[in-house]
Amino acid sequence: MRQPSHEGGIRRADKTLLDELRAAVAAEQVLTEGDLSAWEVDWRRRYRGRALCVVRPGDTLEVAAVVRACARHGAAIVTQGGNTGLVGGSVPDGSGTQVLLSLARMNRIRELDVLNLTLTVDAGCLLQQAQQAASDCGLLYPLRLASEGSCTIGGTLATNAGGTQVLRYGNARELCLGLEVVTADGEVWDGLHGLRKDNTGYDLRDLLIGSEGTLGVITGATLKLYPQPAAVTTAMAATPTLASAVRLLDMARARLGAGLTGFEVMNGTALELVRRHFPDGAAPLPPGPWTVLLEQSDAESAAHAQGLFESLLEAALVDGCICDAAVAASLAQSASMWRLREGIPLAQAAEGLNIKHDIAVPVSRIPAFVQHTDAALHARLPGVRLVNFGHLGDGNLHYNVQAPPGVAAADFLARHEAEVNALVYDAVMAHGGSVSAEHGIGVLKREALVRYKSPVALQMMRAIKAALDPCNTMNPGRLL
Ligand code: FAD
Ligand code: ZN
């Protein structure tokens, strides 16, 4: 709980800023009193900050007025959507001087153009709201994340979110055609066109996507839609090794083409945690070293998709790359397969703190990366549990390290986090990978970025930041 006399203790300059913010938006949308922890603490409860105030503008012009007021005072702005980010970028620092700009009230669906297959929304729209608006018109906005009920379109673009259908439809970047942005000096850039082709110089949209609130505030977006598939079908397969899972991926791509929309992998340790913490869930296959979850979207029918799955899985059994398989015969069976996959992070949270890595490696090199890194970690920290799962079709693994059974998780983290990170990230780089596939840099991975990103790339990034945010007021201390 914050101290009730918060505003009483602030400096005169901050008071002038607060007055200007109250003039920029309705006075009741500038919050300084009461419990602000919903905005000040991150989703994982790893970062707890303290804001000067929370400002909740209702439209783009109000955002611009807020940014101009902050610019006049040199006040830092932390933009927040749904506060589901996993790297500490969406909450203020502990100084009590940063303005928390919440876009949650900006949640209008602006326009749906059926013939152009585009949807234009306010940046504070929830992802689920955008999916629903598309589906109400028989169309699909295919970004799909477990946080879709609480994350915003602006947040998914600012972090270039991925999820479980990237294999077919791409990540948030590939699903965005236009942006509306308030710049660091409070100008509004209207780039909300629905064009699939536009070669008129530097791609400002691509610069803002993935910038984690450090270059400007995204206030609106035009999103790319697709026709709804006639049926979405799911299957599970047990594979003896990770290399056989990659072989199955190759066969699935060849046989299903663009119909293959998801290809997730889970190791035995991950599924064992789910069984332990959620014993009521159905398990379509007996425990094994690796399990693959495949999803197919079909333009014809569920029966057609099931037939394609059955012939793929029969061929894979003959090939020897899988040892068992099950095709979901109903929506309920399909949902229970997805619950196993989506239960992994929840089961991990129930098991205790762990060291998370969200890494990318070329698909072809994933088996070698995992074999090498598993062996190195087991040799260094006997008994350590490697909870390994993720979007194999995209070459993206959540390679998480949990304390050996019986060892206190907090002690394990305090003693070994730096060493484990160095070991895993060195291996990622040796296999041509990236230390952040989906979640971004935020505060959590700033040091890793400096250590692993090329110095030339960092220099270009700093030059861009200095050009677009010369006073360093947009989410300072994040990303760079
Ligand atoms: P926030 O958390 O509010 O902000 C995230 C970052 O974006 C911050 O740096 C913030 O300053 C900036 N930002 C937010 N809005 C704007 C804006 N309008 N303009 C400029 N900057 C802005 N991520 C994946 O990629 N794939 C997944 O599968 C996935 N699954 C998840 C599952 C769960 C249960 C949770 C909790 C998170 C998951 N995430 C995943 C992480 C998270 O990045 C996404 O939920 C989402 O992209 C964040 O959106 P948000 O609105 O909550 O953003
Ligand atoms: Zn993920």
Side-chain angles (χ1 to χ4, degrees), residues 1-184:
M1 218 36 185
R2 76 182 27 232
Q3 300 304 313
S5 60
H6 181 69
E7 203 170 335
I10 61 176
R11 297 177 303 133
R12 184 190 300 267
D14 290 341
K15 205 148 185 77
T16 320
L17 170 59
L18 286 172
D19 289 341
E20 289 180 31
L21 292 173
R22 289 189 181 107
V25 300
E28 69 271 20
Q29 301 302 347
V30 180
L31 315 179
T32 57
E33 304 290 327
D35 180 7
L36 303 184
S37 57
W39 295 275
E40 292 177 330
V41 182
D42 79 317
W43 191 86
R44 288 174 69 194
R45 312 195 80 72
R46 234 190 123 140
Y47 298 94
R48 287 161 196 276
R50 184 175 164 84
L52 173 69
C53 60
V54 173
V55 184
R56 303 190 300 169
D59 63 29
T60 302
L61 292 180
E62 288 191 0
V63 173
V66 167
V67 173
R68 283 197 300 273
C70 291
R72 280 193 293 276
H73 292 264
I77 296 177
V78 179
T79 304
Q80 188 179 96
N83 197 15
T84 66
L86 299 175
V87 290
S90 53
V91 292
D93 66 15
S95 66
T97 61
Q98 301 192 321
V99 172
L100 192 294
L101 179 69
S102 165
L103 266 68
R105 287 180 61 235
M106 289 180 54
N107 58 4
R108 279 180 316 134
I109 301 286
R110 296 193 195 175
E111 189 194 4
L112 197 147
D113 184 339
V114 173
L115 290 181
N116 198 41
L117 286 173
T118 48
L119 171 66
T120 301
V121 297
D122 279 355
C125 263
L126 296 182
L127 171 53
Q128 205 166 53
Q129 220 186 321
Q131 292 166 339
Q132 188 63 48
S135 113
D136 288 346
C137 294
L139 297 170
L140 174 73
Y141 177 59
L143 193 68
R144 196 170 71 198
L145 318 178
S147 55
E148 62 203 18
S150 31
C151 71
T152 63
I153 291 299
T156 60
L157 289 166
T159 59
N160 187 25
T164 51
Q165 299 206 104
V166 173
L167 178 62
R168 162 72 178 90
Y169 298 104
N171 45 27
R173 181 186 305 283
E174 273 107 23
L175 293 169
C176 176
L177 295 175
L179 285 183
E180 178 188 82
V181 171
V182 172
T183 65

Side-chain angles (χ1 to χ4, degrees), residues 260-277:
L260 181 66
T261 44
F263 196 96
E264 301 283 311
V265 75
M266 301 159 268
N267 76 352
T269 313
L271 286 184
E272 199 225 292
L273 275 185
V274 177
R275 283 189 196 99
R276 178 131 45 89
H277 291 282

Side-chain angles (χ1 to χ4, degrees), residues 224-250:
K224 201 194 263 187
L225 304 181
Y226 286 82
Q228 280 277 4
V232 179
T233 314
T234 312
M236 265 188 166
T239 73
T241 63
L242 194 51
S244 2
V246 172
R247 165 105 188 103
L248 174 64
L249 172 65
D250 194 39

Side-chain angles (χ1 to χ4, degrees), residues 298-318:
D298 195 278
E300 228 169 276
S301 66
H304 183 253
Q306 272 172 8
L308 287 175
F309 258 155
E310 274 154 21
S311 76
L312 163 71
L313 295 169
E314 271 160 30
L317 275 168
V318 172

Side-chain angles (χ1 to χ4, degrees), residues 287-477:
W290 293 96
T291 302
V292 173
L293 173 56
L294 302 95
E295 187 187 83
Q296 189 191 169
S297 297
D298 195 278
E300 228 169 276
S301 66
H304 183 253
Q306 272 172 8
L308 287 175
F309 258 155
E310 274 154 21
S311 76
L312 163 71
L313 295 169
E314 271 160 30
L317 275 168
V318 172
D319 176 272
C321 67
I322 68 172
C323 32
D324 202 352
V327 179
S330 64
L331 284 179
Q333 282 182 9
S334 179
S336 80
M337 288 180 178
W338 274 108
R339 265 199 300 279
L340 280 180
R341 162 65 182 86
E342 282 167 358
I344 299 171
L346 305 176
Q348 274 209 285
E351 186 73 9
L353 287 174
N354 60 87
I355 308 172
K356 289 192 194 299
H357 307 102
D358 156 41
I359 58 105
V361 170
V363 172
S364 50
R365 300 182 72 179
I366 281 213
F369 161 77
V370 170
Q371 196 178 22
H372 165 91
T373 315
D374 281 10
L377 282 168
H378 284 308
R380 184 69 198 85
L381 300 164
V384 78
R385 287 173 293 170
L386 303 176
V387 180
N388 193 346
F389 64 99
H391 321 290
L392 183 62
D394 314 324
N396 170 199
L397 290 181
H398 299 305
Y399 187 94
N400 297 344
V401 179
Q402 198 117 25
V407 173
D411 289 352
F412 179 78
L413 245 71
R415 291 183 59 182
H416 298 297
E417 185 168 20
E419 168 191 12
V420 166
N421 285 347
L423 193 153
V424 172
Y425 291 150
D426 285 353
V428 165
M429 298 315 286
H431 289 82
S434 164
V435 299
S436 175
E438 303 195 296
H439 302 155
I441 302 299
V443 180
L444 183 69
K445 293 192 190 158
R446 259 180 334 189
E447 276 139 42
L449 189 77
V450 173
R451 178 157 175 193
Y452 295 106
K453 193 101 183 167
S454 108
V456 179
L458 279 174
Q459 205 181 329
M460 288 195 282
M461 284 167 65
R462 290 191 184 114
I464 290 166
K465 170 75 173 169
L468 296 189
D469 180 23
C471 300
N472 192 26
T473 51
M474 306 308 283
N475 221 356

